[in-house]
Amino acid sequence: MKTDARKTIFLVDDSEVNLMTCKQVLSDIYTTYTFTSGKFMLRALERVMPDLILLDVKMPEMGGYEVLHHLKSNPVSSHIPVIFLTALNDEESELKGLSMGGTDYITKPFSPPLLRKRVELHLLLQSQKRELIELNKDLDETVRKRQDEVLELKNALLETMAELVESRDFTTGSHVIRTSRYVRTLVSSLKERGMYVDELNPLDERLVFQSSQLHDVGKIGISDTILLKPGPLTYEEFEQIKTHAQFGEKIINEIKKRVTDSSFLKYAAIFAISHHEKWDGSGYPYKLKGEEIPLLGRIMAIADVYDALVTERPYKEAMTHKQAINIVGDGAGKHFDPSLVGVFMEEHENFANIVNEFKAPLASHS
């Protein structure tokens, strides 16, 4: 990078007279280098990078058009504006040079004031172009940082809401975190196997995994006496528990009304409303059947039930991993999407590893 405030101009012409004339016109304002051939000038680019090149069209060995081709083919020099100096005065020649990337034409013999003014204008344009590029870079960086900040805010909202739900029942440990990991495992496995491609490919996986933590957000509306009851629920109490799916969707939809960009919550609403639907239509709240149930809800159904089985709850002891996978397997075609159960069975050891990683009270595999 040049530290000299003066702009640097390369003058390329096989005529010494033309070179001296140009130098006399420009050297009081600019740092000028003269070259009698295009080859000499191209070699000089390894040491000095000019701000502008005045280039003769008609030269022996390597003409101006060939020199321009070399300049534009090299990413290091492709940005340098090139003004042709030519005795030619026809539109075809001008069009050829401009089409190849030349900036302008000055016909010889030239007027010194005109030469200076044209050089000044093109250097100004080049300077403004560089400033615009830098401004765009700064703008892109500002936008990127702002997007990151917004994403962090969204993540914080999702995590805070999930932690709020988690705090209602201290015995479930890291349920929402584990279920998010189970969902990640199943989604990754489905994609590896090419299953449900049309439904999975459009998803923003990062938001899917984060918003899956809100599947039980509706439990905020359930009384502690029911949520933490140490024994079996009555029919009426279970009916109250079932309302958490719709209440969760309502909470999420209310938040969506109050934010400009609610796209990060669209998966959360799906998880909340559909994770208790069952493949055979016996689930709640809408008794959806088969693929009427959103895929994310069908995935969460397996994740949620498995975690409930292997962890201790106020009303039950933790089952063994083996018992849990047997129950999930028996639920294929009834409670669960049979295709998803097949994938779960192939990945069940990863589920057990997730439970162990978060130190949930998982019983022995025996």
Side-chain angles (χ1 to χ4, degrees):
M1 181 179 292
K2 300 183 296 295
T3 57
D4 188 354
R6 289 162 62 96
K7 300 290 186 180
T8 297
I9 299 178
F10 279 5
L11 311 172
V12 189
D13 198 312
D14 61 323
S15 167
E16 293 281 358
V17 174
N18 288 337
L19 289 176
M20 289 304 101
T21 302
C22 287
K23 189 174 182 66
Q24 289 172 1
V25 172
L26 301 172
S27 59
D28 61 327
I29 303 175
Y30 309 107
T31 299
T32 56
Y33 292 84
T34 59
F35 303 93
T36 56
S37 78
K39 289 183 178 180
F40 292 157
M41 186 273 291
L42 292 173
R43 290 175 192 165
L45 288 174
E46 299 174 5
R47 304 185 303 275
V48 180
M49 190 61 57
D51 295 289
L52 183 142
I53 298 173
L54 291 172
L55 179 63
D56 186 23
V57 173
K58 289 279 191 176
M59 293 185 294
E61 295 186 22
M62 183 182 287
Y65 297 138
E66 187 178 353
V67 173
L68 180 64
H69 175 74
H70 282 283
L71 289 169
K72 296 303 178 183
S73 299
N74 186 345
V76 176
S77 59
S78 61
H79 68 283
I80 304 172
V82 176
I83 299 177
F84 282 115
L85 298 175
T86 178
L88 302 175
N89 189 15
D90 64 273
E91 291 183 1
E92 186 176 346
S93 297
E94 290 188 20
L95 181 59
K96 179 179 179 180
L98 294 174
S99 298
M100 293 177 64
T103 303
D104 201 354
Y105 266 86
I106 296 179
T107 304
K108 296 185 287 188
F110 51 79
S111 161
L114 178 60
L115 175 63
R116 289 177 64 142
K117 195 61 180 178
R118 298 278 276 276
V119 168
E120 176 187 340
L121 288 175
H122 284 295
L123 286 173
L124 178 61
L125 287 173
Q126 186 67 8
S127 177
Q128 291 175 339
K129 181 180 178 181
R130 282 196 295 266
E131 289 176 4
L132 182 60
I133 291 173
E134 291 302 316
L135 180 62
N136 285 336
K137 286 181 181 178
D138 292 341
L139 181 60
D140 289 343
E141 180 64 16
T142 300
V143 170
R144 186 192 63 77
K145 287 181 179 179
R146 180 57 180 158
Q147 288 175 334
D148 288 344
E149 290 172 359
V150 171
L151 183 58
E152 287 179 8
L153 182 62
K154 292 175 179 178
N155 293 345
L157 174 61
L158 293 175
E159 291 171 5
T160 300
M161 292 176 67
E163 288 171 3
L164 182 61
V165 176
E166 189 86 344
S167 68
R168 296 294 310 286
D169 182 356
F170 297 104
T171 62
T172 59
S174 301
H175 169 70
V176 294
I177 300 176
R178 289 194 304 275
T179 50
S180 176
R181 291 284 299 276
Y182 303 147
V183 169
R184 184 188 297 270
T185 298
L186 287 175
V187 169
S188 298
S189 299
L190 290 170
K191 296 189 78 170
E192 288 175 3
R193 292 166 173 77
M195 299 172 63
Y196 295 117
V197 174
D198 291 341
E199 293 166 83
L200 291 177
N201 280 350
L203 300 180
D204 183 330
E205 291 188 17
R206 180 170 52 179
L207 289 180
V208 167
F209 305 142
Q210 290 168 346
S211 60
S212 68
Q213 297 180 68
L214 298 185
H215 66 280
D216 274 338
V217 68
K219 285 185 176 179
I220 292 174
I222 305 299
S223 167
D224 284 349
T225 58
I226 297 176
L227 193 63
L228 305 179
K229 186 177 179 179
L233 298 176
T234 65
Y235 172 81
E236 291 77 13
E237 289 170 338
F238 184 61
E239 289 299 306
Q240 280 294 310
I241 284 284
K242 288 165 64 175
T243 64
H244 82 274
Q246 288 171 299
F247 190 60
E249 183 187 44
K250 180 180 178 181
I251 291 172
I252 293 165
N253 287 336
E254 285 299 317
I255 296 173
K256 288 166 71 173
K257 292 177 183 178
R258 290 166 167 77
V259 295
T260 303
D261 177 12
S262 63
S263 59
F264 73 108
L265 286 171
K266 65 180 178 180
Y267 304 129
I270 294 171
F271 280 120
I273 193 63
S274 65
H275 72 286
H276 281 295
E277 298 288 359
K278 295 183 179 181
W279 187 258
D280 63 4
S282 64
Y284 64 86
Y286 298 124
K287 297 188 179 298
L288 300 179
K289 187 175 182 179
E291 293 193 358
E292 292 176 353
I293 308 168
L295 177 61
L296 294 181
R298 304 196 314 263
I299 290 173
M300 178 55 76
I302 292 177
D304 192 43
V305 169
Y306 171 79
D307 197 69
L309 292 173
V310 299
T311 54
E312 184 179 347
R313 296 293 172 90
Y315 51 88
K316 74 172 193 64
E317 297 293 326
M319 290 185 181
T320 67
H321 174 71
K322 184 175 181 179
Q323 289 172 321
I325 63 174
N326 286 339
I327 290 175
V328 173
D330 289 343
K334 292 175 285 186
H335 191 152
F336 309 114
D337 179 341
S339 297
L340 296 182
V341 172
V343 175
F344 167 80
M345 289 301 183
E346 294 179 24
E347 298 287 343
H348 72 86
E349 291 184 1
N350 289 327
F351 278 63
N353 291 337
I354 291 169
V355 178
N356 286 327
E357 180 181 343
F358 285 89
K359 296 181 173 59
L362 175 64
S364 169
H365 286 221
S366 60

